[in-house]
Amino acid sequence: MLCTNTTEKECLEKGLFGDREYRLPYLKSIKKGDIGFLLNLSRDQLLGIFVAESEARLNIDPNAWGGGFPAQVKVKLIGQLQRVDKASEKLEKIIELREIQRDPFPYKVPLRNTYGPDITDKVISLFTLTDNVREYFKIPPPEEIGLYPEYKLEDVAGLEDVKRFIYQRIIAPFEDEETAYKLGLRIGGGLLLFGPPGTGKTLVAMAIANHIEAKFIEISPSVIIGYPGEAERRIENIFASLDKEPRAVVFLDEAEWVLCKREDQTSSVMQRITPVLLAQLSRIFRQKRKPIIVIAATNKPEMIDPAFLRPGRFDRIFYVGLPDKDARAKIIERCLKNREHELSEDDISEIAGKLEGYSGADIENIIEEAAFIAFEERNARPAKITKNDIMNAVEKIPKSVKPEEEEQIKEWAKERGIKI
Ligand SMILES: Nc1ncnc2c1ncn2[C@@H]1O[C@H](COP(=O)(O)OP(=O)(O)OP(=O)(O)O)[C@@H](O)[C@H]1O
Ligand SMILES: [Mg+2]
């Protein structure tokens, strides 16, 4: 519904939207429970989210607007009154507007009076979603992801330098917040983990969350895009919920999609969502005393806009590389831990030596495959994984990281002077 400075007051005080003519088709289509917005044309502000409490009727309040708008709908404000500035600029990204010439200045108004739920959703996303609004719409709370709830940094094989640095610089200040604050140390903030796929980036992020007993929230394109039309609301919802958390780890997976240069953004969904996400991230980075860690992970660091890597943003950068021989042995051991097998320590070490270039994820696949080979032969021999089964599995499972891919990532680090 449209209003001006002159007509706004009655809309808000009386909870009414009005128009001149009762028979206007859009008014007739309004049902109880429909969501509406009030657009103040003089100030170019969207004023709030309203719900219709009645259908359009004649003269619900005959005195409203001096009798000028007798066709009326009773409305209720959901949450607080908000004044979203530059409304036409924002609405223009969602719906077509037309300009009408009026003194003293032209107005931009929506082409139509009513829109479907998709558009309504997008307009809602222009508002700040307070608790009562959220409760009204019953937006589900963000999922907590606890895939490896007990995972600690010690369980991550290899990556000794990264783990030590993370422990000293990221985790330790959380364990003695008081001293850290006294010394003006930053608690939380942004870090970037980069490296080939399947090398433990997600694992490191989860381990950090477990160490500091923080809520772990994952935001990746697949999670976001899985909620069509709701994405912006969902992001704001997630970040609003963080305000109540004492500590949190926000994990930005496939970060190259969000943190890429604007002109390189090829996904239209991400073009829409990225500004919302970035606004929320800079809000977090500005809150110096808010113990939130934002961890971005990528295997395409060259796609990331260097502007995001400046001090105060994702300024601690770690290379999470392919496991060395010892790390590979540790991963094999961990994968075999709860399975029947016949391998000695020497066998494991020997296999680890042969798996140069395989990622942690590849090694997990190999052991899974070896288990399957043993299972298939269960009638012929004891159901135990043998060294031979693993070697047969290795034949079947190729390395998932191409040397060129690893090289390209390392090259990026070298150019930026990042230690790997
Ligand atoms: N260094 C490691 N130590 C222990 N396990 C590992 C390690 N690297 C990988 N893994 C195992 O491999 C699997 C994949 O790891 P993870 O999901 O953390 O990789 P990622 O680097 O996030 O990969 P992607 O880039 O594909 O998201 C996990 O299940 C994990 O158990
Ligand atoms: Mg991952």
Side-chain angles (χ1 to χ4, degrees):
M1 188 61 75
L2 309 173
C3 71
T4 61
N5 282 350
T6 335
T7 54
E8 174 195 298
K9 195 163 171 266
E10 301 221 58
C11 295
L12 299 178
E13 284 178 1
K14 298 189 165 162
L16 285 178
F17 286 176
D19 210 329
R20 286 175 211 285
E21 172 56 59
Y22 171 66
R23 263 184 284 272
L24 290 167
Y26 91 89
L27 275 179
K28 297 212 103 174
S29 76
I30 292 176
K31 295 179 303 293
K32 191 175 170 194
D34 282 356
I35 300 297
F37 310 95
L38 190 58
L39 176 61
N40 182 323
L41 298 167
S42 337
R43 291 204 193 101
D44 196 20
Q45 282 176 336
L46 265 170
L47 299 187
I49 308 168
F50 295 83
V51 59
E53 292 201 306
S54 71
E55 300 178 347
R57 285 195 221 121
L58 264 185
N59 288 323
I60 295 176
D61 181 341
N63 300 321
W65 301 286
F69 303 113
Q72 297 167 353
V73 179
K74 185 97 187 100
V75 294
K76 192 175 86 189
L77 182 68
I78 305 173
Q80 282 106 311
L81 186 70
Q82 295 184 38
R83 292 185 178 273
V84 178
D85 287 322
K86 296 195 181 149
S88 52
E89 197 178 292
K90 290 169 183 159
L91 282 172
E92 218 152 12
K93 297 201 178 113
I94 302 172
I95 47 175
E96 207 179 320
L97 304 182
R98 70 189 157 95
E99 203 165 281
I100 45 173
Q101 295 301 328
R102 285 254 175 95
D103 279 339
F105 43 78
Y107 295 141
K108 275 193 172 174
V109 303
L111 209 55
R112 294 163 43 195
N113 296 86
T114 54
Y115 291 91
D118 256 25
I119 300 289
T120 307
D121 228 48
K122 289 182 187 159
V123 179
I124 288 174
S125 72
L126 299 178
F127 292 89
T128 310
L129 293 184
T130 50
D131 280 351
N132 28 11
V133 173
R134 220 170 275 119
E135 197 185 332
Y136 183 86
F137 287 111
K138 298 208 172 52
I139 301 172
E143 277 111 289
E144 281 173 54
I145 301 176
L147 285 181
Y148 305 99
E150 298 306 325
Y151 229 94
K152 292 284 168 80
L153 275 182
E154 302 85 81
D155 301 313
V156 178
L159 307 170
E160 300 304 334
D161 288 349
V162 174
K163 288 190 293 192
R164 193 175 324 114
F165 196 93
I166 287 178
Y167 194 78
Q168 292 169 348
R169 296 288 174 104
I170 313 279
I171 294 171
F174 274 92
E175 291 178 343
D176 188 357
E177 277 190 36
E178 203 181 320
T179 313
Y181 280 134
K182 265 190 209 161
L183 295 170
L185 273 186
R186 175 172 50 153
I187 296 192
L191 55 129
L192 174 74
L193 306 176
F194 73 101
T199 49
K201 296 181 289 297
T202 304
L203 223 53
V204 169
M206 285 179 178
I208 293 175
N210 289 334
H211 273 277
I212 62 170
E213 293 173 15
K215 188 162 173 165
F216 185 84
I217 288 171
E218 181 181 332
I219 299 181
S220 64
S222 42
V223 173
I224 296 168
I225 294 169
Y227 292 84
E230 265 225 319
E232 293 92 330
R233 235 160 91 197
R234 220 180 144 67
I235 290 168
E236 290 187 348
N237 186 26
I238 287 174
F239 281 90
S241 78
L242 290 184
D243 289 341
K244 281 181 245 113
E245 289 298 323
R247 293 165 167 203
V249 170
V250 177
F251 182 57
L252 215 59
D253 209 358
E254 295 173 73
E256 67 274 7
W257 283 98
V258 174
L259 306 180
C260 73
K261 296 195 188 82
R262 196 185 288 221
E263 62 270 24
D264 294 346
Q265 187 56 270
T266 48
S267 149
S268 65
V269 184
M270 291 308 292
Q271 268 168 8
R272 221 183 63 216
I273 291 166
T274 302
V276 181
L277 199 50
L278 293 179
Q280 294 290 349
L281 288 177
S282 36
R283 187 171 70 88
I284 285 192
F285 288 151
R286 277 197 307 271
Q287 297 173 329
K288 291 272 179 273
R289 282 194 159 235
K290 185 79 195 175
I292 293 182
I293 304 180
V294 187
I295 304 176
T298 184
N299 37 49
K300 296 190 185 66
E302 69 283 357
M303 275 176 69
I304 290 184
D305 187 340
F308 292 116
L309 308 178
R310 289 200 201 118
R313 300 182 187 173
F314 295 95
D315 52 3
R316 287 158 295 177
I317 305 173
F318 300 103
Y319 178 63
V320 179
L322 290 171
D324 60 13
K325 186 180 170 217
D326 284 350
R328 294 195 295 269
K330 213 173 142 187
I331 297 171
I332 298 171
E333 252 166 49
R334 192 174 62 84
C335 291
L336 287 175
K337 207 166 92 189
N338 297 318
R339 306 176 194 256
E340 295 279 327
H341 70 87
E342 298 186 337
L343 282 90
S344 67
E345 231 169 81
D346 284 349
D347 292 337
I348 291 176
S349 168
E350 188 192 326
I351 294 169
K354 290 183 175 155
L355 294 183
E356 172 86 44
Y358 281 86
S359 71
D362 293 338
I363 296 172
E364 280 194 354
N365 284 342
I366 288 170
I367 303 300
E368 183 69 31
E369 181 61 29
F372 194 72
I373 293 173
F375 179 76
E376 281 194 313
E377 296 181 6
R378 64 192 177 279
N379 295 329
R381 59 176 172 100
K384 283 185 174 183
I385 299 170
T386 64
K387 186 171 148 193
N388 211 21
D389 294 333
I390 297 182
M391 291 325 295
N392 287 335
V394 172
E395 294 296 311
K396 291 188 181 176
I397 301 206
K399 296 173 195 170
S400 63
V401 182
K402 293 192 194 74
E404 311 90 77
E405 189 180 350
E406 191 192 8
E407 216 32 62
Q408 193 181 357
I409 299 174
K410 285 183 167 173
E411 196 55 43
W412 179 85
K414 217 185 286 168
E415 279 167 20
R416 312 196 66 81
I418 298 163
K419 195 170 143 264
I420 54 172

